[in-house]
Amino acid sequence: MSHQQNKQTKTKTTEQKKSIPEHLQGMNKEERRQYYQNLHSKKGKPQKKPQKQKQQKKTETNKGGSNVPEHLKGMTKEERRKYYQKQRELSGGQQQKQQKQQKQQKNKKVQKKQAQKPKKMTKEERKKYYEQLNKQKQEQKKNWNQNYQQGKQKGQKSQDNKQKQKTQTKQKETQKKQPKTNKTQQLSDPRTRTLTSITSHISPFQQPTTKESGVEFSESVIHPLTIELSLKFSSGKIGGTTGRCIALLNLLKILIREVTVRARFSEDVVKMLNRNLDYLIKHRRFSYTMFSVIRTVKEWVSRVDSLEVKEAKIKICSQIDEFLRKHIYDAEEEITEIAWKKIKPGDVILVYANSRVIEKILKKAHQNEISFRVVVVDSRPMNEGKKLLKKLDNYGIKCSFCELNAISYIIKEVTKVFIGVAVILSNGSAVGRIGTAIVAMIAKRSRVPVIVCCPSFKLSKKVQLDSLVSNEHGDPKKVLTTKNSKSVKIQNLPSDMDVICLLWDVTPIKFISLVITEYGLLPPTSMQVLIREFKDF
Amino acid sequence: MDKIQSPIQFVVLAGGTGSRFDTLSSDIPKPFLPVANKPLLQYVFEFLCKSNVPKALVVTHSGLQQRIHKIAEKLSIEIDITTVSPDLGTADVLREIASKIDRDFVVISGDLITNVPLHEIADIHRVSGSAMVMLLNEENEENSKKIRKDKLVSKHFVGLDKDRVAMFLSSFDSGKSVKLRKPFLEKCSEFELYSNMTDGHLYFFKHWVLRLIEKKKKSISSIQGDLVPLLVKAQFNPKIAKRLSKYSQEEQYPNFKGFSSLEEEVGTENQQFNIKCIAYKTPRDLLCMRVNTFNSYLRANFTLINGNPFFSREAYRYKTVYMHKGFKIQEGDEIENSLLGKELTISGTKNVINSVIGENCTIGENVKIENSIIMNNVKIQDGCQIIDTVIMNSVILEENCRLTQCTVRINQTVEKDTNTKNYIFGEESFY
């Protein structure tokens, strides 16, 4: 203290001579100090300056002045020690409670709430409370009208306030939700609809048009026949696997005939083929047989470089003709010759959807004067059974018709089931039009033999355990509409709902009893042998 | 890469005389009649441009070639013009151009205004393998209001079996009644008969139809009158189908008969000859108008005032009014639903409702214009009232005229204080 006083005196000695008022020049320091103190105490002013001095004294007494927290500054060391001991003794929750209580005592709002809480009452107080309530109710009954209208006005005000709040919240919500609603709108548009997770790996259905590809009326690199074929494939006019193969092969013949070769034959032809086939694939995916056919034709093209252009073209066209004859037309004839003998008089034969081979079998059996009748089963989306029905009717065969939902009733009358197929896999199961698996399953359960007829070029080395692994989407409108009922529009469906329309399915080997190829009658377990031994391509 | 020619060729017939509205077409040749301040032919060219058609063959009278070239230069389309005498029918015209057509072709008449997606009709043509695809338009009662007397126009009775045209009779041949026979109805699965269908005169034909036209010179002279009914009858009549089978079964590629053996359809009779005629109905939102009568000309103007985004327009829009730079609308003006051309000056308060005004017009004060069409270089002086009239180029109307349902021909001056209805200025009426 003495040091500080000396410091203060040093600073003041320099300034003292300048700034001392006149009426105090005669006095010493101590006298001046007492004078000023008397002044302040007499007038009764708030004692700020002495308080400051007090605080300065306290900070001067405590050495660790700057590090003390605010709520503990008023205490001395010993008091602080006791405070911290208390906190160590208590657990963490109780510390927080104590802190909360201390804060609450400062807050005025909390004090109000505590005052509003119901206090515990004794019996007498409760009696008085309820007496007062009854009095109020009796008064309300007398003055109900006035109270009603008062309540109305209050209610309207509160409702107005609520509506304002609602609209405000709605505006905020819509501002937040707008990106989400766009997704739902995208879902409802059938073309951009993202399908469910099971079928999401299958590309969605595209309407058949030419505008998307940009090839319409101008000169192009793509042959007009490919454009025609692409529309026919995608619209379903040329439908079955053998039909599509035949159309493809004819197309390839014409394309190869009309190519102008500048450099090497194989390169130019392969480029030209790739352009046209890329265009075809966009509109509808190829089946397995079509891929294998294209592969073989490209192999032939690559082996023909040694010859001249004209001879090469002739050679390839003749090879394609031979393929058609050997694997498709002759094979179908041999199958019919083997298979029609399996039909015995009095048989009732069940047929599902359309197949070229089966139509020929039934025609031949009818020509050889066997009395039998046919049940044609049909289903959406493709409704191909009606085409078969019309043809069989023209040949003079007795037919009846039903849809897939009635098959469990019809199967009681049936003696044999003939099925056409798209691909036979190496594990013996068959990929066919959607619904064949159901037909085969029900036939197996009713102990009716299931006979699959297919030429050998439909055999493949692939294996597929599941119908969903590779499949194709069809037009969803065909699933939603039927002629007699009102159609459900895709736009009217709720946004969470998707329409799945698959075209192929796999019938497992246990439902098939016999496979007829041009090599003869075989059980389905020996398909692997056929592929290994007899397949050329 | 070798480019292969497109398999479809386009033919535009712009050689009509406009015989059904003499008054307008004798002064201005029909392909250049302004519809919403644009020449008629330009609509056809814009339609072809937007469908990405690179080339077209155009058939006109002599003397109009340069103006047609000008119209086509603005748009990105190549044109090959041939001149033909005005006496010929539409099929005779095709016979003369036959050397230039070597593929499937499309015939469009030059007075057609449409919005229709051409590629859809082309897809139908490709997929179905039909001999003919035609464009049909169903008319509502609203559109058939008539302000003028029309010369006789043939109505058609159209019978449709889903997409197929089962019947196409003109009212000249059959009168007001139509006979349907039972065996005919049994061949169709669904039959609907329409009397309010108009033919859009847009046909997709196969190449063998040209051969047919070339050989039968006497019996086929107009497409709508002779060719179309012939083809429609051949679908159900085996005798006619046999006669046409010479032409219809030519092979485009050697040893290749097409994919028709692979296609399987339910309900087709006469599978041997297999001629088909298919109709494409315009969807309800889209336009399809032919401008071959007075009333259709008025109707075309009034529907196109309100801007169709398919067709281009150089004007600015203010509510329902289309106008050019420099024209200001002030308070107190009543302008609704109208199209105003360049360099228009109207003095005083403006009162223009539901009308089309061309370029370079000067209009005076207190002039009321309603439901009317005014072409270029017209001067209208104060106090006129013009209702339901058509005023052609460079006309002067003096003060206080009142015209309702009139037409004023080129270079006429209408004197003061004329008050007329249903009169044609500048010519003795033919009616």
Side-chain angles (χ1 to χ4, degrees):
Chain A
M1 204 166 135
S2 59
H3 294 285
Q4 289 175 358
Q5 279 180 352
N6 288 326
K7 284 180 188 172
Q8 288 173 4
T9 51
K10 280 180 187 174
T11 53
K12 281 188 182 176
T13 48
T14 54
E15 294 173 0
Q16 246 180 2
K17 294 174 182 177
K18 296 177 187 177
S19 63
I20 294 170
E22 293 178 354
H23 60 277
L24 299 175
Q25 282 183 359
M27 292 198 238
N28 289 326
K29 282 183 200 173
E30 293 175 356
E31 289 172 352
R32 260 180 268 153
R33 224 178 271 155
Q34 286 175 9
Y35 177 77
Y36 280 117
Q37 281 178 9
N38 290 327
L39 268 183
H40 287 302
S41 62
K42 281 177 186 177
K43 287 186 181 177
K45 279 187 182 177
Q47 294 172 352
K48 287 181 185 176
K49 291 183 184 177
Q51 280 182 2
K52 282 181 185 176
Q53 291 174 359
K54 280 183 188 176
Q55 285 177 358
Q56 286 174 3
K57 282 177 188 176
K58 281 182 184 175
T59 52
E60 289 166 356
T61 53
N62 299 321
K63 286 186 182 175
S66 58
N67 288 327
V68 175
E70 292 178 357
H71 61 277
L72 301 176
K73 270 188 180 177
M75 298 196 247
T76 58
K77 260 193 185 179
E78 293 176 353
E79 289 174 0
R80 265 182 278 158
R81 264 184 217 161
K82 286 180 186 176
Y83 180 75
Y84 282 121
Q85 277 178 5
K86 272 188 188 177
Q87 284 189 351
R88 272 176 230 151
E89 285 172 0
L90 301 170
S91 57
Q94 291 181 3
Q95 281 184 14
Q96 288 177 3
K97 273 189 186 176
Q98 280 188 352
Q99 287 175 1
K100 271 190 186 176
Q101 285 173 2
Q102 287 172 1
K103 284 183 186 176
Q104 281 175 6
Q105 285 169 3
K106 293 177 186 175
N107 283 328
K108 291 180 185 178
K109 290 181 185 177
V110 174
Q111 288 173 2
K112 276 189 185 176
K113 278 188 182 177
Q114 283 179 351
Q116 286 174 0
K117 276 183 188 174
K119 297 173 188 175
K120 289 185 180 177
M121 295 193 280
T122 58
K123 270 193 181 179
E124 294 172 352
E125 289 175 356
R126 263 179 268 164
K127 277 186 185 176
K128 287 180 186 176
Y129 179 68
Y130 284 118
E131 282 172 4
Q132 284 176 5
L133 269 181
N134 286 326
K135 282 182 187 176
Q136 285 177 5
K137 279 185 186 175
Q138 286 171 2
E139 287 175 358
Q140 278 178 4
K141 282 183 185 174
K142 289 177 186 175
N143 304 324
W144 68 272
N145 202 5
Q146 293 175 4
N147 292 329
Y148 177 67
Q149 285 174 358
Q150 283 176 6
K152 246 194 182 180
Q153 289 170 359
K154 283 186 188 176
Q156 279 177 358
K157 286 182 189 174
S158 65
Q159 275 179 13
D160 290 336
N161 288 330
K162 278 185 188 175
Q163 278 177 3
K164 282 183 191 173
Q165 287 175 3
K166 273 186 187 176
T167 51
Q168 284 172 0
T169 50
K170 270 187 186 177
Q171 284 170 3
K172 289 180 189 175
E173 284 174 0
T174 51
Q175 284 169 3
K176 288 179 191 174
K177 274 190 183 176
Q178 271 171 4
K180 285 184 189 175
T181 52
N182 281 333
K183 279 185 192 173
T184 52
Q185 281 173 8
Q186 280 176 8
L187 277 178
S188 61
D189 185 8
R191 289 195 198 173
T192 58
R193 194 178 283 222
T194 56
L195 297 165
T196 56
S197 56
I198 293 175
T199 53
S200 56
H201 59 282
I202 305 169
S203 58
F205 176 74
Q206 281 175 341
Q207 291 284 334
T209 53
T210 48
K211 191 161 192 188
E212 293 171 355
S213 55
V215 172
E216 296 153 34
F217 307 110
S218 46
E219 282 183 349
S220 68
V221 159
I222 296 171
H223 201 270
L225 267 184
T226 49
I227 303 174
E228 209 187 300
L229 256 195
S230 70
L231 286 169
K232 287 185 181 176
F233 283 169
S234 53
S235 64
K237 268 215 153 185
I238 298 181
T241 43
T242 42
R244 281 200 282 166
C245 271
I246 295 171
L248 222 205
L249 284 168
N250 284 320
L251 215 209
L252 291 177
K253 252 204 278 181
I254 291 169
L255 286 177
I256 288 171
R257 241 184 253 163
E258 298 195 349
V259 165
T260 57
V261 178
R262 291 172 190 168
R264 285 177 68 188
F265 180 79
S266 57
E267 285 177 6
D268 282 344
V269 169
V270 167
K271 276 186 199 174
M272 182 270 297
L273 283 180
N274 283 333
R275 267 180 252 139
N276 286 302
L277 295 171
D278 287 342
Y279 182 84
L280 262 186
I281 272 191
K282 271 190 221 173
H283 290 260
R284 195 170 170 198
R285 209 187 70 157
F286 289 158
S287 62
Y288 176 81
T289 46
M290 291 159 83
F291 278 125
S292 57
V293 154
I294 291 166
R295 233 182 294 135
T296 50
V297 170
K298 284 188 184 175
E299 273 183 44
W300 293 336
V301 165
S302 63
R303 287 178 202 163
V304 172
D305 274 336
S306 55
L307 302 174
E308 287 183 16
V309 172
K310 279 188 186 178
E311 290 178 9
K313 286 185 186 179
I314 292 169
K315 190 174 180 186
I316 293 178
C317 291
S318 64
Q319 277 176 329
I320 291 176
D321 283 334
E322 207 190 302
F323 184 92
L324 273 174
R325 182 189 57 78
K326 182 181 170 190
H327 283 111
I328 297 178
Y329 295 129
D330 282 356
E332 287 183 349
E333 278 186 28
E334 287 190 36
I335 291 172
T336 52
E337 290 210 2
I338 298 168
W340 75 266
K341 294 171 190 169
K342 285 282 162 189
I343 299 174
K344 300 202 171 149
D347 262 349
V348 180
I349 294 173
L350 192 142
V351 174
Y352 181 75
N354 199 359
S355 169
R356 292 163 55 102
V357 183
I358 286 169
E359 181 200 331
K360 289 181 186 175
I361 292 170
L362 295 172
K363 183 183 177 185
K364 190 146 198 191
H366 186 72
Q367 279 172 2
N368 288 323
E369 295 175 6
I370 297 178
S371 67
F372 64 98
R373 69 180 177 93
V374 176
V375 176
V376 179
V377 178
D378 188 21
S379 81
R380 292 179 294 170
M382 304 301 283
N383 281 322
E384 290 170 333
K386 289 178 187 170
K387 298 175 190 172
L388 221 202
L389 184 68
K390 191 107 197 190
K391 286 182 200 170
L392 293 177
D393 196 29
N394 286 334
Y395 298 143
I397 302 173
K398 290 183 208 167
C399 303
S400 45
F401 178 84
C402 82
E403 296 238 347
L404 190 61
N405 56 354
I407 195 168
S408 52
Y409 299 101
I410 280 251
I411 199 85
K412 296 171 193 168
E413 304 170 352
V414 171
T415 56
K416 280 170 190 154
V417 174
F418 277 78
I419 282 181
V421 126
V423 177
I424 292 190
L425 305 166
S426 66
N427 65 349
S429 49
V431 176
R433 178 62 63 204
I434 193 159
T436 48
I438 293 173
V439 170
M441 183 178 74
I442 286 181
K444 169 88 181 181
R445 193 184 173 282
S446 336
R447 286 179 238 121
V448 171
V450 173
I451 301 169
V452 171
C453 311
C454 76
S456 70
F457 82 105
K458 287 184 179 175
L459 297 168
S460 87
K461 295 178 188 173
K462 280 189 176 182
V463 170
Q464 205 177 338
L465 300 174
D466 199 353
S467 355
L468 289 173
V469 162
S470 71
N471 210 324
E472 225 182 307
H473 272 295
D475 193 358
K477 283 182 196 172
K478 290 186 183 176
V479 172
L480 292 173
T481 64
T482 54
K483 258 191 180 178
N484 295 327
S485 64
K486 291 182 186 174
S487 61
V488 179
K489 290 188 185 175
I490 291 181
Q491 297 136 14
N492 294 340
L493 288 177
S495 57
D496 294 340
M497 197 167 150
D498 284 328
V499 182
I500 297 179
C501 171
L502 295 171
L503 292 181
W504 307 104
D505 74 358
V506 174
T507 59
I509 191 173
K510 58 188 176 183
F511 296 147
I512 303 173
S513 18
L514 187 66
V515 177
I516 303 181
T517 62
E518 68 260 31
Y519 298 112
L521 305 163
L522 291 168
T525 46
S526 51
M527 291 297 107
Q528 287 180 20
V529 178
L530 267 187
I531 294 168
R532 211 186 333 132
E533 305 276 326
F534 290 103
K535 220 177 172 189
D536 296 14
F537 60 96
Chain B
M1 293 201 291
D2 292 328
K3 289 217 166 179
I4 305 170
Q5 284 176 336
S6 70
I8 296 179
Q9 233 173 348
F10 285 83
V11 177
V12 178
L13 304 176
T17 51
S19 55
R20 293 191 192 106
F21 40 176
D22 281 329
T23 51
L24 295 179
S25 60
S26 45
D27 295 332
I28 305 178
K30 192 177 151 192
F32 306 113
L33 262 185
V35 172
N37 289 338
K38 238 198 261 186
L40 236 194
L41 249 197
Q42 198 173 342
Y43 286 100
V44 175
F45 288 150
E46 277 189 10
F47 171 61
L48 291 177
C49 272
K50 292 219 172 179
S51 331
N52 295 322
V53 172
K55 279 187 195 175
L57 294 169
V58 180
V59 180
T60 50
H61 306 314
S62 57
L64 307 178
Q65 295 180 26
Q66 282 184 0
R67 288 173 80 176
I68 294 178
H69 268 302
K70 273 188 198 174
I71 296 174
E73 275 169 4
K74 293 179 198 171
L75 308 165
S76 59
I77 189 167
E78 278 183 44
I79 280 186
D80 187 8
I81 303 184
T82 52
T83 53
V84 155
S85 69
D87 298 333
L88 298 179
T90 43
D92 301 331
V93 159
L94 284 178
R95 219 172 284 144
E96 294 222 2
I97 328 174
S99 54
K100 295 191 184 179
I101 302 175
D102 52 351
R103 307 158 226 168
D104 298 350
F105 60 102
V106 180
V107 178
I108 307 179
S109 77
D111 56 7
L112 180 66
I113 299 177
T114 49
N115 229 350
V116 150
L118 238 194
H119 66 278
E120 282 187 22
I121 311 178
D123 286 345
I124 293 172
H125 169 78
R126 283 183 188 123
V127 169
S128 60
S130 56
M132 178 187 83
V133 184
M134 59 192 286
L135 179 66
L136 290 178
N137 185 28
E138 218 178 323
E139 288 209 20
N140 302 323
E141 289 178 5
E142 299 172 353
N143 291 335
S144 59
K145 280 183 202 165
K146 294 189 179 178
I147 306 174
R148 308 297 172 107
K149 288 182 191 172
D150 273 339
K151 276 191 177 175
L152 286 174
V153 181
S154 70
K155 269 195 177 182
H156 293 284
F157 292 108
V158 177
L160 292 182
D161 170 19
K162 292 180 200 174
D163 277 352
R164 217 180 189 187
V165 181
M167 204 174 69
F168 190 80
L169 285 177
S170 72
S171 55
F172 290 141
D173 294 338
S174 65
K176 288 188 182 177
S177 62
V178 177
K179 286 183 191 171
L180 292 175
R181 290 188 188 144
K182 219 181 178 184
F184 168 75
L185 282 178
E186 281 172 1
K187 292 180 187 176
C188 311
S189 50
E190 301 172 7
F191 188 77
E192 290 176 347
L193 186 61
Y194 296 90
S195 66
N196 60 349
M197 287 276 203
T198 50
D199 185 10
H201 213 285
L202 196 159
Y203 306 106
F204 273 72
F205 286 120
K206 282 221 154 178
H207 184 61
W208 60 264
V209 177
L210 232 196
R211 300 279 169 77
L212 221 200
I213 296 173
E214 280 181 335
K215 296 229 166 169
K216 303 220 166 179
K217 291 185 184 177
K218 289 183 186 175
S219 52
I220 302 181
S221 71
S222 98
I223 296 177
Q224 204 182 45
D226 302 324
L227 225 204
V228 172
L230 215 206
L231 290 173
V232 168
K233 277 182 202 171
Q235 292 175 96
F236 298 103
N237 195 335
K239 289 182 193 174
I240 302 179
K242 267 189 191 176
R243 267 187 268 156
L244 298 182
S245 63
K246 293 183 224 171
Y247 310 100
S248 66
Q249 286 179 349
E250 64 180 25
E251 291 173 352
Q252 208 177 1
Y253 303 99
N255 295 327
F256 177 65
K257 287 183 185 175
F259 299 113
S260 54
S261 58
L262 298 168
E263 297 169 31
E264 297 144 350
E265 271 185 28
V266 181
T268 51
E269 307 287 331
N270 283 339
Q271 278 182 4
Q272 296 175 352
F273 309 115
N274 222 1
I275 293 175
K276 282 184 238 167
C277 303
I278 293 183
Y280 178 83
K281 284 198 224 170
T282 52
R284 279 186 196 174
D285 308 337
L286 302 178
L287 284 175
C288 170
M289 293 186 287
R290 277 197 75 196
V291 179
N292 52 359
T293 61
F294 217 119
N295 279 307
S296 56
Y297 175 71
L298 294 174
R299 201 214 313 164
N301 268 301
F302 294 137
T303 49
L304 288 174
I305 285 173
N306 290 325
N308 198 319
F310 191 77
F311 301 113
S312 67
R313 172 159 288 177
E314 295 173 353
Y316 300 99
R317 197 187 108 158
Y318 171 74
K319 290 185 188 176
T320 51
V321 180
Y322 290 84
M323 55 195 176
H324 287 263
K325 269 188 190 175
F327 189 81
K328 293 177 189 174
I329 296 181
Q330 299 155 355
E331 287 183 14
D333 296 338
E334 293 178 14
I335 306 189
E336 286 175 27
N337 248 350
S338 45
L339 220 205
L340 309 172
K342 295 182 188 175
E343 298 177 30
L344 224 203
T345 52
I346 305 181
S347 47
T349 54
K350 300 151 192 170
N351 197 337
V352 177
I353 298 175
N354 261 339
S355 48
V356 179
I357 304 181
E359 298 182 5
N360 263 323
C361 295
T362 52
I363 300 178
E365 296 183 12
N366 285 324
V367 172
K368 186 181 174 187
I369 303 176
E370 241 188 76
N371 288 333
S372 48
I373 297 168
I374 300 175
M375 299 189 196
N376 306 334
N377 294 318
V378 169
K379 293 180 188 173
I380 302 177
Q381 295 178 2
D382 306 340
C384 294
Q385 279 189 18
I386 301 169
I387 301 174
D388 286 339
T389 57
V390 177
I391 301 176
M392 300 181 66
N393 295 335
S394 6
V395 162
I396 300 173
L397 285 182
E398 298 185 359
E399 294 166 354
N400 287 323
C401 297
R402 290 186 189 181
L403 307 174
T404 55
Q405 296 188 6
C406 300
T407 53
V408 184
R409 292 183 58 180
I410 288 186
N411 291 324
Q412 297 294 318
T413 54
V414 179
E415 297 174 3
K416 287 186 193 180
D417 300 323
T418 49
N419 197 338
T420 53
K421 190 174 176 181
N422 246 331
Y423 186 70
I424 301 172
F425 289 89
E427 194 175 313
E428 295 168 354
S429 59
F430 284 122
Y431 291 123

